[in-house]
Amino acid sequence: MNFPNRKKPQQKIINKANLGMVLEDMINQSNEYYLNAHLAVIHKKPTPVQIVKVDYPMRSKAVITEAYYKTPSTTDYNGIYKGKYIDFEAKENHNKTSFPLHNIHPHQIDHLRAIIKHGGIGFLIVSWNVYNELYIVPMSVVLKYWDNKEVGRKSIPYQEFTNNCYKIKEGFAPRLDYLKTVDIAFKDLLEK
Amino acid sequence: MNFPNRKKPQQKIINKANLGMVLEDMINQSNEYYLNAHLAVIHKKPTPVQIVKVDYPMRSKAVITEAYYKTPSTTDYNGIYKGKYIDFEAKENHNKTSFPLHNIHPHQIDHLRAIIKHGGIGFLIVSWNVYNELYIVPMSVVLKYWDNKEVGRKSIPYQEFTNNCYKIKEGFAPRLDYLKTVDIAFKDLLEK
Protein backbone atom coordinates (compact mmCIF):
# COMPACT_ATOMS: atom_id res chain seq x y z
CA MET A 1 0.00 0.00 0.00
CA ASN A 2 1.01 3.53 -0.70
CA PHE A 3 0.31 6.54 1.54
CA PRO A 4 1.02 9.82 -0.24
CA ASN A 5 0.28 11.70 2.96
CA ARG A 6 1.84 9.96 5.97
CA LYS A 7 0.09 12.24 8.42
CA LYS A 8 -3.38 10.76 8.05
CA PRO A 9 -2.90 7.21 6.85
CA GLN A 10 -6.21 5.91 8.13
CA GLN A 11 -8.26 8.61 6.51
CA LYS A 12 -6.48 7.96 3.23
CA ILE A 13 -7.17 4.23 3.36
CA ILE A 14 -10.88 4.79 3.81
CA ASN A 15 -11.08 7.29 0.96
CA LYS A 16 -9.03 5.12 -1.37
CA ALA A 17 -11.08 2.05 -0.60
CA ASN A 18 -14.32 3.90 -1.19
CA LEU A 19 -13.23 5.06 -4.60
CA GLY A 20 -12.66 1.47 -5.63
CA MET A 21 -15.75 0.05 -3.99
CA VAL A 22 -19.01 0.98 -5.58
CA LEU A 23 -22.03 1.90 -3.52
CA GLU A 24 -23.81 -1.34 -4.36
CA ASP A 25 -20.98 -3.47 -2.98
CA MET A 26 -20.90 -1.45 0.21
CA ILE A 27 -24.65 -1.85 0.75
CA ASN A 28 -24.50 -5.57 0.00
CA GLN A 29 -21.69 -5.92 2.54
CA SER A 30 -23.74 -4.06 5.15
CA ASN A 31 -26.78 -6.22 4.44
CA GLU A 32 -24.72 -9.38 4.90
CA TYR A 33 -23.45 -8.01 8.19
CA TYR A 34 -26.98 -7.12 9.34
CA LEU A 35 -28.25 -10.58 8.34
CA ASN A 36 -25.49 -12.43 10.23
CA ALA A 37 -25.92 -10.18 13.27
CA HIS A 38 -29.72 -10.85 13.21
CA LEU A 39 -30.34 -7.10 12.94
CA ALA A 40 -32.29 -7.05 9.69
CA VAL A 41 -33.10 -9.08 6.59
CA ILE A 42 -32.49 -6.85 3.59
CA HIS A 43 -31.53 -8.10 0.13
CA LYS A 44 -30.78 -6.60 -3.24
CA LYS A 45 -33.24 -7.75 -5.84
CA PRO A 46 -31.79 -9.42 -8.93
CA THR A 47 -31.38 -7.25 -12.03
CA PRO A 48 -34.56 -7.62 -14.09
CA VAL A 49 -33.77 -9.35 -17.37
CA GLN A 50 -36.04 -10.32 -20.27
CA ILE A 51 -34.90 -13.78 -21.31
CA VAL A 52 -35.46 -14.45 -25.02
CA LYS A 53 -33.40 -17.52 -25.88
CA VAL A 54 -32.10 -20.40 -23.77
CA ASP A 55 -29.88 -23.21 -25.02
CA TYR A 56 -29.70 -26.58 -23.32
CA PRO A 57 -26.35 -28.08 -24.27
CA MET A 58 -26.18 -31.82 -23.58
CA ARG A 59 -24.94 -32.77 -20.10
CA SER A 60 -24.46 -29.17 -19.05
CA LYS A 61 -26.68 -26.52 -17.55
CA ALA A 62 -28.96 -24.18 -19.44
CA VAL A 63 -27.27 -21.21 -21.12
CA ILE A 64 -29.18 -18.00 -21.72
CA THR A 65 -27.97 -16.83 -25.14
CA GLU A 66 -30.22 -13.83 -25.70
CA ALA A 67 -31.58 -11.54 -23.05
CA TYR A 68 -32.16 -7.82 -22.50
CA TYR A 69 -32.09 -5.53 -19.49
CA LYS A 70 -35.56 -4.48 -18.40
CA THR A 71 -36.60 -1.22 -16.73
CA PRO A 72 -37.06 -2.02 -13.03
CA SER A 73 -40.61 -1.57 -11.74
CA THR A 74 -39.55 -1.42 -8.11
CA THR A 75 -36.46 -0.45 -6.14
CA ASP A 76 -33.24 -2.40 -5.70
CA TYR A 77 -33.45 -3.15 -1.98
CA ASN A 78 -36.16 -4.25 0.41
CA GLY A 79 -36.62 -6.27 3.55
CA ILE A 80 -37.54 -6.16 7.20
CA TYR A 81 -35.98 -4.11 10.01
CA LYS A 82 -37.25 -3.95 13.60
CA GLY A 83 -40.47 -5.57 12.41
CA LYS A 84 -41.02 -2.88 9.74
CA TYR A 85 -40.99 -3.15 5.98
CA ILE A 86 -38.03 -1.21 4.56
CA ASP A 87 -37.49 -0.27 0.91
CA PHE A 88 -34.93 1.91 -0.84
CA GLU A 89 -33.04 2.75 -3.99
CA ALA A 90 -29.33 3.66 -3.99
CA LYS A 91 -27.76 6.10 -6.45
CA GLU A 92 -24.31 7.55 -6.99
CA ASN A 93 -24.14 11.23 -7.89
CA HIS A 94 -21.13 12.68 -9.68
CA ASN A 95 -22.38 16.29 -9.72
CA LYS A 96 -21.22 19.02 -7.36
CA THR A 97 -24.32 21.12 -6.83
CA SER A 98 -27.41 18.98 -7.29
CA PHE A 99 -28.76 15.45 -7.68
CA PRO A 100 -30.72 15.10 -10.95
CA LEU A 101 -33.95 13.16 -10.46
CA HIS A 102 -33.82 11.62 -13.95
CA ASN A 103 -31.61 9.03 -12.21
CA ILE A 104 -34.78 7.55 -10.74
CA HIS A 105 -37.43 5.84 -12.87
CA PRO A 106 -41.02 7.11 -12.44
CA HIS A 107 -42.04 3.53 -11.56
CA GLN A 108 -39.64 3.55 -8.66
CA ILE A 109 -41.06 6.81 -7.33
CA ASP A 110 -44.61 5.40 -7.63
CA HIS A 111 -43.45 2.30 -5.81
CA LEU A 112 -41.84 4.20 -2.92
CA ARG A 113 -44.87 6.48 -2.69
CA ALA A 114 -47.09 3.41 -2.27
CA ILE A 115 -44.70 1.96 0.33
CA ILE A 116 -44.88 4.97 2.63
CA LYS A 117 -48.66 5.11 2.16
CA HIS A 118 -48.81 1.53 3.48
CA GLY A 119 -46.73 2.41 6.54
CA GLY A 120 -43.36 1.21 5.30
CA ILE A 121 -39.98 2.92 5.51
CA GLY A 122 -39.04 4.30 2.07
CA PHE A 123 -36.05 6.40 1.07
CA LEU A 124 -33.11 6.90 -1.27
CA ILE A 125 -29.45 6.49 -0.42
CA VAL A 126 -27.52 9.05 -2.46
CA SER A 127 -23.75 9.00 -2.61
CA TRP A 128 -22.09 12.36 -3.43
CA ASN A 129 -18.92 10.94 -4.91
CA VAL A 130 -17.21 14.34 -5.23
CA TYR A 131 -17.59 15.02 -1.49
CA ASN A 132 -17.38 11.36 -0.39
CA GLU A 133 -20.66 11.84 1.49
CA LEU A 134 -23.69 9.59 1.69
CA TYR A 135 -27.20 10.63 2.68
CA ILE A 136 -30.50 9.03 3.47
CA VAL A 137 -33.15 11.03 1.62
CA PRO A 138 -36.66 10.48 3.02
CA MET A 139 -39.42 10.28 0.41
CA SER A 140 -40.93 13.52 1.75
CA VAL A 141 -37.84 15.37 0.45
CA VAL A 142 -37.81 13.46 -2.86
CA LEU A 143 -41.49 14.12 -3.51
CA LYS A 144 -41.13 17.83 -2.70
CA TYR A 145 -38.95 18.11 -5.81
CA TRP A 146 -40.50 15.34 -7.91
CA ASP A 147 -44.04 16.68 -7.55
CA ASN A 148 -43.08 20.32 -8.04
CA LYS A 149 -44.67 21.10 -11.38
CA GLU A 150 -43.43 24.71 -11.38
CA VAL A 151 -39.78 23.80 -11.45
CA GLY A 152 -38.61 22.86 -14.92
CA ARG A 153 -35.31 21.34 -13.88
CA LYS A 154 -35.97 18.42 -11.58
CA SER A 155 -33.05 18.01 -9.25
CA ILE A 156 -32.42 18.20 -5.54
CA PRO A 157 -29.83 20.88 -4.62
CA TYR A 158 -26.90 19.89 -2.40
CA GLN A 159 -28.13 22.30 0.28
CA GLU A 160 -31.31 20.24 0.68
CA PHE A 161 -29.13 17.25 1.55
CA THR A 162 -27.09 19.06 4.18
CA ASN A 163 -30.19 20.71 5.67
CA ASN A 164 -33.00 18.15 5.48
CA CYS A 165 -31.44 14.75 4.83
CA TYR A 166 -29.51 12.39 7.08
CA LYS A 167 -25.78 11.91 6.59
CA ILE A 168 -24.54 8.34 6.95
CA LYS A 169 -21.42 8.16 9.11
CA GLU A 170 -18.65 5.85 7.99
CA GLY A 171 -18.01 2.95 10.31
CA PHE A 172 -15.85 -0.09 10.60
CA ALA A 173 -18.22 -3.07 10.71
CA PRO A 174 -20.16 -2.55 8.62
CA ARG A 175 -18.39 0.32 6.89
CA LEU A 176 -21.68 1.74 5.70
CA ASP A 177 -23.85 1.41 8.79
CA TYR A 178 -26.90 2.95 7.14
CA LEU A 179 -29.40 1.41 9.57
CA LYS A 180 -27.95 3.57 12.33
CA THR A 181 -29.00 6.55 10.22
CA VAL A 182 -32.39 4.95 9.52
CA ASP A 183 -32.89 4.82 13.30
CA ILE A 184 -32.56 8.61 13.42
CA ALA A 185 -34.41 9.46 10.21
CA PHE A 186 -37.41 7.22 10.93
CA LYS A 187 -37.45 7.31 14.72
CA ASP A 188 -41.22 7.93 14.96
CA LEU A 189 -42.15 5.16 12.55
CA LEU A 190 -39.81 2.63 14.19
CA GLU A 191 -41.19 3.28 17.66
CA LYS A 192 -44.81 2.80 16.60
CA MET B 1 -65.29 -22.93 -26.03
CA ASN B 2 -66.18 -26.53 -25.50
CA PHE B 3 -68.08 -27.95 -22.54
CA PRO B 4 -67.92 -31.75 -22.41
CA ASN B 5 -70.27 -31.71 -19.45
CA ARG B 6 -73.10 -29.22 -19.96
CA LYS B 7 -74.37 -29.64 -16.42
CA LYS B 8 -71.65 -27.61 -14.72
CA PRO B 9 -70.38 -25.19 -17.32
CA GLN B 10 -69.05 -22.61 -14.86
CA GLN B 11 -67.08 -25.12 -12.85
CA LYS B 12 -65.56 -26.42 -16.04
CA ILE B 13 -64.50 -22.96 -17.17
CA ILE B 14 -62.67 -22.32 -13.92
CA ASN B 15 -60.88 -25.66 -14.00
CA LYS B 16 -59.94 -25.29 -17.63
CA ALA B 17 -58.61 -21.79 -17.07
CA ASN B 18 -56.56 -22.90 -14.10
CA LEU B 19 -54.95 -25.69 -16.04
CA GLY B 20 -53.76 -23.21 -18.61
CA MET B 21 -52.71 -20.53 -16.16
CA VAL B 22 -49.72 -21.32 -14.04
CA LEU B 23 -49.60 -20.44 -10.38
CA GLU B 24 -47.10 -17.65 -10.97
CA ASP B 25 -49.40 -15.87 -13.42
CA MET B 26 -52.30 -16.12 -11.00
CA ILE B 27 -50.27 -14.63 -8.14
CA ASN B 28 -48.93 -11.84 -10.35
CA GLN B 29 -52.49 -11.04 -11.40
CA SER B 30 -53.60 -10.91 -7.75
CA ASN B 31 -50.66 -8.68 -6.85
CA GLU B 32 -51.54 -6.27 -9.63
CA TYR B 33 -55.11 -6.20 -8.37
CA TYR B 34 -53.96 -5.57 -4.78
CA LEU B 35 -51.63 -2.79 -5.94
CA ASN B 36 -54.32 -0.99 -7.96
CA ALA B 37 -56.84 -1.39 -5.13
CA HIS B 38 -54.27 0.04 -2.65
CA LEU B 39 -54.57 -3.12 -0.56
CA ALA B 40 -50.93 -4.23 -0.63
CA VAL B 41 -47.64 -3.74 -2.45
CA ILE B 42 -46.31 -7.20 -3.29
CA HIS B 43 -44.04 -7.97 -6.23
CA LYS B 44 -42.34 -11.00 -7.70
CA LYS B 45 -38.59 -10.64 -7.63
CA PRO B 46 -36.81 -11.01 -10.96
CA THR B 47 -35.26 -14.40 -11.73
CA PRO B 48 -31.65 -14.29 -10.51
CA VAL B 49 -29.28 -14.51 -13.47
CA GLN B 50 -25.48 -14.50 -13.60
CA ILE B 51 -24.59 -12.29 -16.56
CA VAL B 52 -21.32 -13.31 -18.21
CA LYS B 53 -21.22 -11.58 -21.58
CA VAL B 54 -22.93 -8.46 -22.89
CA ASP B 55 -22.70 -7.15 -26.45
CA TYR B 56 -23.29 -3.52 -27.35
CA PRO B 57 -24.33 -3.47 -31.01
CA MET B 58 -24.07 0.02 -32.52
CA ARG B 59 -27.20 2.15 -32.21
CA SER B 60 -29.15 -0.56 -30.42
CA LYS B 61 -29.52 -1.61 -26.84
CA ALA B 62 -27.23 -3.95 -24.94
CA VAL B 63 -27.72 -7.66 -25.62
CA ILE B 64 -26.84 -10.22 -22.99
CA THR B 65 -25.32 -13.10 -24.97
CA GLU B 66 -24.19 -15.38 -22.16
CA ALA B 67 -25.88 -15.80 -18.81
CA TYR B 68 -26.82 -18.57 -16.40
CA TYR B 69 -29.65 -19.15 -13.96
CA LYS B 70 -28.55 -18.74 -10.34
CA THR B 71 -29.93 -20.49 -7.27
CA PRO B 72 -32.21 -17.99 -5.53
CA SER B 73 -31.06 -16.94 -2.06
CA THR B 74 -34.46 -15.63 -1.05
CA THR B 75 -38.09 -16.25 -1.97
CA ASP B 76 -39.96 -15.13 -5.07
CA TYR B 77 -42.43 -12.72 -3.50
CA ASN B 78 -42.27 -10.03 -0.85
CA GLY B 79 -43.83 -6.73 0.04
CA ILE B 80 -46.01 -4.90 2.53
CA TYR B 81 -49.56 -5.71 3.65
CA LYS B 82 -51.49 -3.88 6.37
CA GLY B 83 -48.21 -2.29 7.44
CA LYS B 84 -46.52 -5.70 7.85
CA TYR B 85 -43.66 -7.24 5.92
CA ILE B 86 -44.91 -10.23 3.93
CA ASP B 87 -42.74 -12.87 2.23
CA PHE B 88 -43.55 -16.15 0.53
CA GLU B 89 -42.59 -18.78 -2.00
CA ALA B 90 -45.10 -20.45 -4.33
CA LYS B 91 -44.84 -24.02 -5.54
CA GLU B 92 -46.92 -26.34 -7.68
CA ASN B 93 -47.24 -29.93 -6.50
CA HIS B 94 -48.12 -32.72 -8.92
CA ASN B 95 -48.16 -35.51 -6.33
CA LYS B 96 -51.29 -37.01 -4.80
CA THR B 97 -50.25 -37.84 -1.25
CA SER B 98 -47.46 -35.49 -0.15
CA PHE B 99 -45.51 -32.34 -0.99
CA PRO B 100 -41.76 -33.11 -1.24
CA LEU B 101 -39.66 -30.46 0.47
CA HIS B 102 -36.79 -30.80 -1.99
CA ASN B 103 -38.85 -28.33 -4.03
CA ILE B 104 -37.61 -25.62 -1.67
CA HIS B 105 -33.96 -24.52 -1.51
CA PRO B 106 -32.34 -24.56 1.97
CA HIS B 107 -31.52 -20.85 1.47
CA GLN B 108 -35.18 -20.09 1.07
CA ILE B 109 -36.05 -21.90 4.29
CA ASP B 110 -33.27 -20.02 6.14
CA HIS B 111 -34.63 -16.79 4.69
CA LEU B 112 -38.23 -17.45 5.74
CA ARG B 113 -37.05 -18.57 9.18
CA ALA B 114 -35.26 -15.22 9.60
CA ILE B 115 -38.34 -13.34 8.39
CA ILE B 116 -40.65 -14.79 11.01
CA LYS B 117 -37.98 -14.23 13.68
CA HIS B 118 -38.03 -10.53 12.74
CA GLY B 119 -41.82 -10.36 13.07
CA GLY B 120 -42.72 -10.70 9.40
CA ILE B 121 -45.37 -12.86 7.77
CA GLY B 122 -43.72 -15.85 6.07
CA PHE B 123 -45.33 -18.83 4.35
CA LEU B 124 -45.55 -21.03 1.29
CA ILE B 125 -48.36 -21.16 -1.23
CA VAL B 126 -48.65 -24.75 -2.43
CA SER B 127 -50.88 -25.68 -5.33
CA TRP B 128 -52.08 -29.29 -5.40
CA ASN B 129 -52.64 -29.53 -9.11
CA VAL B 130 -54.26 -32.98 -8.94
CA TYR B 131 -56.97 -31.72 -6.58
CA ASN B 132 -57.09 -28.15 -7.91
CA GLU B 133 -56.55 -26.90 -4.36
CA LEU B 134 -54.27 -24.18 -3.06
CA TYR B 135 -53.05 -23.78 0.51
CA ILE B 136 -51.21 -21.27 2.60
CA VAL B 137 -48.64 -23.19 4.63
CA PRO B 138 -47.37 -21.24 7.66
CA MET B 139 -43.65 -21.63 8.37
CA SER B 140 -44.46 -23.42 11.66
CA VAL B 141 -45.87 -26.32 9.60
CA VAL B 142 -42.98 -26.25 7.09
CA LEU B 143 -40.35 -26.25 9.85
CA LYS B 144 -42.03 -29.12 11.70
CA TYR B 145 -41.16 -31.33 8.72
CA TRP B 146 -37.97 -29.57 7.59
CA ASP B 147 -36.34 -29.73 11.03
CA ASN B 148 -37.44 -33.27 11.77
CA LYS B 149 -34.15 -35.14 11.75
CA GLU B 150 -35.78 -38.49 12.51
CA VAL B 151 -37.81 -38.62 9.35
CA GLY B 152 -35.72 -39.73 6.38
CA ARG B 153 -38.20 -38.71 3.70
CA LYS B 154 -38.80 -34.98 3.93
CA SER B 155 -42.25 -34.24 2.67
CA ILE B 156 -45.47 -32.83 4.04
CA PRO B 157 -48.38 -35.27 3.80
CA TYR B 158 -51.65 -34.10 2.23
CA GLN B 159 -53.44 -34.62 5.52
CA GLU B 160 -51.28 -31.91 7.13
CA PHE B 161 -52.57 -29.47 4.50
CA THR B 162 -56.23 -30.28 5.10
CA ASN B 163 -55.79 -30.25 8.90
CA ASN B 164 -53.30 -27.49 9.70
CA CYS B 165 -52.98 -25.27 6.63
CA TYR B 166 -55.31 -22.67 5.15
CA LYS B 167 -57.15 -23.37 1.92
CA ILE B 168 -57.35 -20.46 -0.50
CA LYS B 169 -60.86 -20.05 -1.88
CA GLU B 170 -61.22 -19.25 -5.56
CA GLY B 171 -62.67 -15.84 -6.29
CA PHE B 172 -63.54 -13.61 -9.18
CA ALA B 173 -61.42 -10.47 -8.77
CA PRO B 174 -58.77 -11.44 -8.08
CA ARG B 175 -59.26 -15.09 -8.88
CA LEU B 176 -56.64 -16.09 -6.32
CA ASP B 177 -57.52 -13.84 -3.38
CA TYR B 178 -54.74 -15.21 -1.19
CA LEU B 179 -54.64 -12.18 1.12
CA LYS B 180 -58.11 -13.07 2.36
CA THR B 181 -56.60 -16.35 3.54
CA VAL B 182 -53.58 -14.51 4.99
CA ASP B 183 -56.05 -12.51 7.09
CA ILE B 184 -57.24 -15.76 8.67
CA ALA B 185 -53.90 -17.56 8.93
CA PHE B 186 -52.03 -14.59 10.45
CA LYS B 187 -54.86 -12.91 12.35
CA ASP B 188 -52.82 -12.44 15.54
CA LEU B 189 -49.80 -10.96 13.78
CA LEU B 190 -51.89 -8.60 11.65
CA GLU B 191 -53.78 -7.23 14.64
CA LYS B 192 -50.60 -6.44 16.60
Side-chain angles (χ1 to χ4, degrees), chain A residues 97-109:
Chain A
T97 55
S98 71
F99 171 67
L101 283 172
H102 63 70
N103 277 307
I104 318 285
H105 298 289
H107 273 128
Q108 297 180 316
I109 297 287

Side-chain angles (χ1 to χ4, degrees), chain A residues 39-42 75-89 108-109 111-125 136-140 166 178-192, chain B residues 41 79-85:
Chain A
L39 287 170
V41 184
I42 301 165
T75 49
D76 269 356
Y77 303 90
N78 76 352
I80 186 168
Y81 175 51
K82 293 188 175 171
K84 301 284 176 197
Y85 177 88
I86 185 167
D87 196 304
F88 61 96
E89 182 68 19
Q108 297 180 316
I109 297 287
H111 174 71
L112 283 167
R113 204 193 289 266
I115 291 309
I116 55 168
K117 216 176 148 187
H118 282 267
I121 297 170
F123 56 90
L124 305 181
I125 291 181
I136 282 187
V137 190
M139 279 311 288
S140 54
Y166 300 86
Y178 70 87
L179 286 182
K180 211 175 259 173
T181 315
V182 164
D183 283 341
I184 299 162
F186 301 95
K187 196 173 173 285
D188 294 350
L189 229 167
L190 286 165
E191 281 172 359
K192 246 190 223 169
Chain B
V41 184
I80 186 167
Y81 175 52
K82 292 188 175 171
K84 302 283 176 195
Y85 177 88

Side-chain angles (χ1 to χ4, degrees), chain A residues 38-41 43 46 48-49 51 54 61-69 74 78-80 83 85 111 114-115 117-118 120, chain B residues 38-41 43 46 48-49 51 54 61-69 74 78-80 83 85 111 114-115 117-118 120:
Chain A
H38 306 293
L39 287 170
V41 184
H43 286 277
V49 155
I51 296 164
V54 184
K61 59 181 177 176
V63 189
I64 298 159
T65 54
E66 189 186 345
Y68 298 90
Y69 290 105
T74 67
N78 76 352
I80 186 168
Y85 177 88
H111 174 71
I115 291 309
K117 216 176 148 187
H118 282 267
Chain B
H38 306 292
L39 286 171
V41 184
H43 286 277
V49 155
I51 296 164
V54 183
K61 61 180 176 177
V63 189
I64 298 160
T65 54
E66 189 186 346
Y68 299 90
Y69 290 105
T74 66
N78 76 352
I80 186 167
Y85 177 88
H111 174 70
I115 291 310
K117 214 175 148 186
H118 282 267

